[in-house]
Amino acid sequence: MQMFELFKMNYVKIDGSFMANLTDASKRELIELIVKTAKAANIPTVAERVEDANMMAELFQLGISYIQGNCVQEPEVVMVEDARLPT
């Protein structure tokens, strides 16, 4: 929590490993603490690896500002033309 005092942040992104098991009380409490501290400092929060609508609803109840993950949009394969490759 000292990071909030030491650095000016535009966003706080919570690692996806915390999202894996929101039923774990200790993980849930830590996420709540991070969100409350960020809100007190007017810093929006982002949760990554949100996999389903239930998880999304739980995170919004905890006060998360934004979400990332397969619940929003699954990753896409992007083809990049590389000039170094022979055609």
Side-chain angles (χ1 to χ4, degrees):
M1 294 303 133
Q2 293 175 347
M3 295 291 204
F4 288 96
E5 297 171 10
L6 295 173
F7 299 104
K8 168 121 175 64
M9 295 179 260
N10 294 324
Y11 294 90
V12 172
K13 187 170 185 178
I14 301 173
D15 189 78
S17 63
F18 289 100
M19 306 308 136
N21 190 5
L22 284 177
T23 57
D24 180 353
S26 62
K27 283 186 180 181
R28 191 176 180 90
E29 287 174 11
L30 183 57
I31 292 171
E32 262 184 300
L33 178 61
I34 292 169
V35 170
K36 285 180 183 177
T37 306
K39 279 190 181 244
N42 292 321
I43 303 169
T45 51
V46 180
E48 66 177 10
R49 292 192 207 161
V50 179
E51 299 297 323
D52 57 45
N54 292 333
M55 185 184 292
M56 179 176 67
E58 285 185 59
L59 290 168
F60 282 139
Q61 287 176 352
L62 292 174
I64 292 288
S65 307
Y66 302 102
I67 60 169
Q68 293 179 318
N70 289 343
C71 181
V72 179
Q73 181 171 351
E74 292 185 14
E76 297 178 5
V77 175
V78 179
M79 302 297 289
V80 178
E81 187 174 315
D82 192 340
R84 296 173 295 171
L85 297 175
T87 54

